[in-house]
Amino acid sequence: MKALPADLAAVCRRMKTERSVGLAVHERPDTDALAAAAGMLDLFAQLGVEARLHVDRDEVLPLEELLLPLGTVTRGLPPARQPLYALDCGSLERLALPLTSWGGLVVNIDHHHDNTRFGDLVYVRGEASSTSELVCDIARALGLRPSQQSAEALFAGISFDTGHFRHDSTSAATFATAAWLTELGVGVTRVFSMLYEQGSLEALHLWARAIAGAQAVACRHALVATLTLADYAAVGAAEEETEGIVDSLRSIAGVEVAALVKEQSRGPRVRASLRSNGHDVSAIAALKGGGGHRLAAGFSSDDGPEEVTAWLSSELEKRLLTASF
Ligand SMILES: [Mn+2]
């Protein structure tokens, strides 16, 4: 048998000695963060260790009832000096808990390439698809099999962070892990439906408006769509029901950059999201004080939606037609 990497072995050794621990995730936790927590709760239960997930009072936990067993979440800090397992979180300051230091031992399990390597035990692999995949590595290293419920959560976490097995981070190890979870009883259709098929008819009508109104710029190398408050009102959709629209615009053959400009009723007047299949769109977002990743970025503005759309269109036209990206 291949020897375990030292950092993974150290985390496993530590887990076996625990009596009770707190788990923590990043602020505004996503599916991967909560799924990783669900997996760790299950592993600790199998080891006979008491574990709870601790989050701030006002954190919203997406898909909480599907991902996490009932009664495993505590609002507020864990008891002082209890070991704290931080999951899917790049720095201590980003935790969904009000702390900048912790009196007890901290174990840092994450896959963000810019992780600050905080904590006493660090198991960080920037090339891993998701923290859920790392939790599966831990399970195998401990010789444990996740329950069917936590296997489904972990599969959901991997699917979410890889855009359902399509982003660069999807490796042979990711597929091997997904296969292992499937053997443990994951209903792959059920998980897909839970993650990607819960939209409303109103949201579909909103998609239709955004797509019908999308403007081609730079000889169809870019598509820019705009949604105003009037659009949400016309179809009865909520402002957050725009997830995926900009990706669908980007998926059109020949389109190198897609943008969605959304008017908002709260906060800055407009929020713009940019997606690209090669160009650094975070450079455009930075011109308006925004940022993000090279291929997925965004910015906010207090200008009106028409103004922002016109600015973005001319910026894309200029850059794509002169290859100045
Ligand atoms: Mn993640």
Side-chain angles (χ1 to χ4, degrees):
M1 216 176 92
K2 249 178 39 193
L4 289 181
D7 49 359
L8 173 56
V11 168
C12 291
R13 261 196 316 274
R14 176 74 208 187
M15 285 175 69
K16 287 194 266 192
T17 67
E18 303 288 14
R19 300 181 56 150
S20 72
V21 300
L23 308 183
V25 291
H26 63 77
E27 59 195 348
R28 288 184 280 119
D30 61 6
T31 302
D32 180 38
L34 294 184
M40 290 296 281
L41 286 168
D42 177 29
L43 298 184
F44 276 123
Q46 294 189 39
L47 292 170
V49 178
E50 242 180 80
R52 300 188 62 75
L53 172 61
H54 292 264
V55 292
D56 238 348
R57 288 175 206 293
D58 51 359
E59 288 290 349
V60 177
L61 307 182
L63 302 174
E64 176 182 358
E65 58 295 337
L66 291 168
L67 296 172
L68 292 163
L70 265 182
T72 51
V73 179
T74 298
R75 299 281 172 170
L77 288 171
R81 304 202 62 82
Q82 193 176 53
L84 188 68
Y85 283 68
L87 305 169
D88 200 39
C89 187
S91 69
L92 208 51
E93 293 72 31
R94 280 203 64 212
L95 280 181
L97 284 173
L99 40 97
T100 47
S101 67
W102 182 243
L105 177 114
V106 173
V107 181
N108 172 1
I109 300 170
D110 185 33
H111 72 122
H112 289 94
H113 67 95
D114 57 354
N115 186 289
T116 60
R117 304 197 165 249
F118 63 91
D120 305 281
L121 285 178
V122 177
Y123 180 44
V124 173
R125 282 183 34 219
E127 77 289 358
S129 70
S130 52
T131 302
S132 296
E133 188 178 327
L134 297 183
V135 171
C136 291
D137 291 343
I138 292 170
R140 279 179 295 223
L142 288 166
L144 298 177
R145 294 150 55 97
S147 68
Q148 195 210 341
Q149 195 195 357
S150 73
E152 290 209 342
L154 291 164
F155 190 95
I158 294 171
S159 164
F160 182 85
D161 263 24
T162 58
H164 205 62
F165 306 99
R166 74 184 142 152
H167 296 331
D168 257 8
S169 57
T170 310
S171 67
T174 312
F175 281 115
T177 300
W180 180 64
L181 292 170
T182 307
E183 279 167 13
L184 296 178
V186 170
V188 293
T189 310
R190 184 166 58 237
V191 174
F192 186 89
S193 172
M194 163 179 108
L195 287 179
Y196 308 112
E197 298 181 337
Q198 301 304 313
S200 66
L201 183 59
E202 289 78 10
L204 193 64
H205 288 152
L206 192 65
W207 275 58
R209 286 178 89 91
I211 288 166
Q215 298 288 324
V217 299
C219 302
R220 303 176 76 148
H221 291 308
L223 288 173
V224 182
T226 311
L227 286 171
T228 64
L229 296 181
D231 288 308
Y232 306 117
V235 298
E239 288 173 41
E240 52 279 359
E241 291 187 285
T242 54
E243 192 69 38
I245 292 178
V246 68
D247 303 283
S248 74
L249 296 172
R250 218 276 302 138
S251 71
I252 300 308
V255 170
E256 295 165 30
V257 178
L260 176 64
V261 175
K262 295 168 52 176
E263 190 175 14
Q264 308 187 119
S265 60
R266 293 175 303 273
R269 180 148 178 224
V270 161
R271 172 83 198 158
S273 304
L274 294 147
R275 295 287 184 280
S276 147
N277 59 8
H279 303 291
D280 181 8
V281 286
S282 68
I284 297 183
L287 294 175
K288 291 282 187 190
H293 305 285
R294 280 187 71 248
L295 306 184
F299 65 89
S300 302
S301 169
D302 282 321
D303 295 337
E306 301 80 10
E307 236 177 309
V308 173
T309 299
W311 176 81
L312 252 181
S313 300
S314 75
E315 197 62 37
L316 288 168
E317 186 97 24
K318 199 168 72 194
R319 284 164 182 253
L320 286 165
L321 294 183
T322 60
S324 62
F325 258 122

